[in-house]
Amino acid sequence: MSQHQSIVVDVRDLPLSVDEALREVRHPRAGAVSLFVGTVREHDEGREGVTRLDYSAHPGAVDRVRALVDEVAGRPQVHGVYAVHRVGTLEVGDLAVVCAVAAEHRAEAFDGCRHLIEELKSTVPIWKRQQFEAGEHEWVGL
């Protein structure tokens, strides 16, 4: 395996893969990989009955994710960063976002991954339309 740093950034309408994330961030100097997997759940903020989500992204979303990934990749001892968010229609249980950070030690991997997902969720222009069992819907993140 080469010694280069692996960077993967995407917003895609295809199913996500934890195995892909782990494979992409592998590095011979990394002794730790921290992984975050966000899944579609059947409730939101106390409201039950979510049946699906329809994710949409601004055309500049990938650029914003790339800036976050580059920031984390620039940290000492980080050797791989992966951040991919799904768009389109997702059912309960589907993977919505996968982030991974490979670093020399667990503290750097944990810190980098937490920063990455928190900033991604709070700053990247990706919105979801939640569909409920009774037929109503609501937008989140607008």
Side-chain angles (χ1 to χ4, degrees):
M1 177 179 289
S2 73
Q3 295 282 329
H4 76 280
Q5 187 180 47
S6 176
I7 304 292
V8 176
V9 176
D10 203 5
V11 174
R12 63 174 74 144
D13 62 357
L14 298 171
L16 305 183
S17 166
V18 170
D19 290 337
E20 175 187 325
L22 291 172
R23 182 177 59 252
E24 291 294 336
V25 299
R26 285 186 62 189
H27 192 280
R29 295 196 55 83
V33 175
S34 184
L35 181 69
F36 175 83
V37 179
T39 59
V40 177
R41 61 182 180 259
E42 63 184 7
H43 63 92
D44 187 49
E45 296 194 23
R47 187 168 180 193
E48 299 292 328
V50 173
T51 59
R52 73 170 192 263
L53 301 178
D54 295 305
Y55 277 102
S56 302
H58 185 277
V62 171
D63 293 335
R64 180 65 190 131
V65 176
R66 184 173 316 281
L68 292 172
V69 165
D70 288 347
E71 178 188 342
V72 172
R75 292 178 175 201
Q77 300 184 16
V78 171
H79 297 290
V81 183
Y82 180 101
V84 179
H85 203 294
R86 180 102 183 262
V87 292
T89 300
L90 284 74
E91 304 296 328
V92 171
D94 286 347
L95 305 185
V97 60
V98 176
C99 295
V101 175
E104 292 185 23
H105 302 282
R106 67 181 171 271
E108 291 83 7
F110 281 135
D111 292 346
C113 194
R114 182 176 186 97
H115 176 77
L116 180 59
I117 189 58
E118 295 296 341
E119 290 297 310
L120 189 154
K121 295 303 286 182
S122 66
T123 67
V124 175
I126 296 175
W127 312 284
K128 63 183 175 184
R129 180 181 181 265
Q130 297 185 129
Q131 185 69 40
F132 293 91
E133 288 173 341
E136 67 269 11
H137 70 272
E138 70 181 5
W139 283 94
V140 178
L142 291 179

